[in-house]
Amino acid sequence: MGIEIIGIGSYLPEKILTNIDLEKLVETSDEWITTRTGIKERRIASESEATSDLAIKAAERAISNAKISPEEIDAIIVATITPDMAFPSTACFVQKGLKAVNSAAFDISAACSGFIYGLTIGKDLIKSGTFNTVLVIGGETLSKITDWHDRNTCVLLGDAAGAVILRKTNSSSDILSSYLGANGNYSDLLLMPGGGSRNPTTHKTVDEQLHYLKMEGNKLFKIAVKAMADSAQKAIALAGITCNDVNLIIPHQANIRIVEAVAKLLNVSMDKVFLNIHKYGNTSAATTPVALEEAIREGKVKKGDIVTLVAFGGGLTWGAVVIRL
Ligand code: UT7
């Protein structure tokens, strides 16, 4: 028995924020952002749009693509670090929006690696016989936790959601392998310090700007390259194949220079690596499902092809999955 992605969908908010727009907000330039990151523009959710609103739209598209009804969904997993609220889970808001009345619902927090973690959990929940049909979503509204005065972070981030529906199959489609890792010793390199039980929200935490995403980009860069290359290699080996057998690598899109360095370590040409960072920037957990949807829609991969999703993010967390579509 294999596990098949029977439907996929994504949603990008309408508003486009370009590098030129950012030049008016902070001391930066289109030239710096383009050459140092590969990003040209990103999408920004409207004031009234929360993460569940993006997630619901992506999920509706995945449901329609899968040609199933919402009542057939047994579990909803939302990977996000920008939940609508601390609780209830964003997955419960998604369940309500979809009228997926027969599903369990929960969130997972693994930052940019969240979708890879979610896909692994979803696959194993089906393989163990607990559920038949699982909806996995990566959704973020990073713009809501971005300090728009901090040029070190605000030029990098964007909002998006991507969703897949998983189900058992007798076809050759399968999630062939999964490798997950983490190192909490590096938790201070990428975090939002305020609002949780460590620093409950007070006037002081707001004054100290603890409710924004903080990042030590330079230190993360080096760890990201190694962790992503290592994760992809391990997942590919676990699948019993080699890099040559992989039709397309879909990496987390935090920085084009990270992606290029990972491709070099894996010894694969950039033709085999999917890129959409120029359009969306880093959308954390939404990045890999949005990219997979786009790669399929654009015909870059087709049924039977092998793709490797690989990501790295706050936690620190990392991971990769190998999928035969
Ligand atoms: O999602 C997963 C986790 N995130 C990541 O993996 C991000 C990994 N890190 C990165 O992508 C890169 O480190 C950044 C894009 C964040 C920064 O690029 P960098 O090449 O590492 O730049 P830097 O931090 O070493 O800064 C170089 C210079 C500095 O100026 P000085 O000190 O050399 O005068 C910065 O102040 O660039 C300056 N700088 C900027 N200049 C214009 C930093 N941000 C900007 C900016 N516009 N937006």
Side-chain angles (χ1 to χ4, degrees), residues 4-317:
E4 183 175 7
I5 295 175
I6 62 164
I8 186 161
S10 69
Y11 175 75
L12 282 310
E14 269 170 39
K15 186 183 168 189
I16 296 174
L17 187 72
T18 65
N19 291 351
I20 309 294
D21 296 328
L22 280 166
E23 286 180 358
K24 292 166 203 142
L25 282 179
V26 286
E27 185 68 40
T28 192
S29 64
D30 174 39
E31 203 264 332
W32 191 95
I33 304 170
T34 306
T35 55
R36 304 307 292 169
T37 74
I39 303 166
K40 294 297 281 183
E41 57 188 44
R42 67 288 290 142
R43 300 299 181 96
I44 305 293
S46 71
E47 234 170 79
S48 64
E49 272 179 319
T51 295
S52 68
D53 299 315
L54 276 54
I56 289 165
K57 287 190 173 119
E60 282 170 346
R61 289 172 186 179
I63 289 166
S64 146
N65 184 240
K67 300 187 180 65
I68 64 164
S69 73
E71 296 81 27
E72 292 176 62
I73 297 168
D74 300 309
I76 299 173
I77 304 173
V78 176
T80 188
I81 51 163
T82 46
D84 288 23
M85 300 175 191
F87 77 92
S89 67
T90 300
C92 282
F93 292 119
V94 171
Q95 190 218 34
K96 178 182 166 193
L98 294 176
K99 299 191 176 69
V101 290
N102 296 313
S103 77
F106 61 96
D107 289 1
I108 57 159
S109 173
C112 306
S113 318
F115 185 72
I116 310 273
Y117 272 62
L119 209 54
T120 303
I121 296 165
K123 160 190 77 99
D124 287 338
L125 282 170
I126 298 174
K127 284 212 158 168
S128 64
T130 307
F131 296 125
N132 286 318
T133 307
V134 176
L135 167 61
V136 184
I137 304 171
E140 302 283 11
T141 48
L142 294 177
S143 65
K144 313 270 180 177
I145 59 163
T146 298
D147 179 354
W148 291 102
H149 300 290
D150 176 15
R151 70 175 185 175
N152 291 304
T153 53
C154 77
V155 304
L156 306 172
L157 309 170
D159 302 336
V164 298
I165 293 169
L166 305 177
R167 198 176 253 181
K168 289 189 265 229
T169 179
N170 289 321
S171 75
S172 66
S173 297
D174 201 5
I175 298 177
L176 300 172
S177 67
S178 165
Y179 170 77
L180 304 176
N183 187 344
N185 291 318
Y186 292 122
S187 50
D188 55 342
L189 296 185
L190 182 50
L191 76 173
M192 189 179 83
S197 57
R198 181 70 59 199
N199 301 301
T201 309
T202 59
H203 285 292
K204 190 163 169 272
T205 62
V206 173
D207 291 344
E208 288 173 351
Q209 310 206 314
L210 300 188
H211 301 270
Y212 290 132
L213 177 150
K214 320 270 181 195
M215 182 168 96
E216 289 200 46
N218 217 281
K219 289 186 188 156
L220 284 171
F221 193 107
K222 293 172 201 119
I223 308 170
V225 171
K226 202 181 157 300
M228 281 175 59
D230 191 51
S231 297
Q233 267 159 350
K234 286 194 165 120
I236 288 167
L238 282 170
I241 58 171
T242 70
C243 261
N244 288 336
D245 302 314
V246 177
N247 298 93
L248 190 67
I249 293 184
I250 300 183
H252 179 54
Q253 318 264 318
N255 189 320
I256 194 166
R257 292 183 294 133
I258 295 178
V259 174
E260 285 165 351
V262 170
K264 210 168 162 194
L265 282 178
L266 294 177
N267 205 15
V268 299
S269 98
M270 283 300 286
D271 308 345
K272 271 178 105 175
V273 179
F274 188 81
L275 282 174
N276 62 6
I277 190 170
H278 53 290
K279 292 190 287 186
Y280 310 131
N282 179 353
T283 61
S284 182
T287 299
T288 49
V290 166
L292 177 62
E293 193 278 332
E294 224 169 80
I296 294 171
R297 184 160 37 84
E298 290 172 0
K300 297 208 161 88
V301 278
K302 56 182 190 315
K303 196 119 197 97
D305 281 354
I306 293 180
V307 297
T308 298
L309 308 188
V310 55
F312 166 87
L316 298 177
T317 58

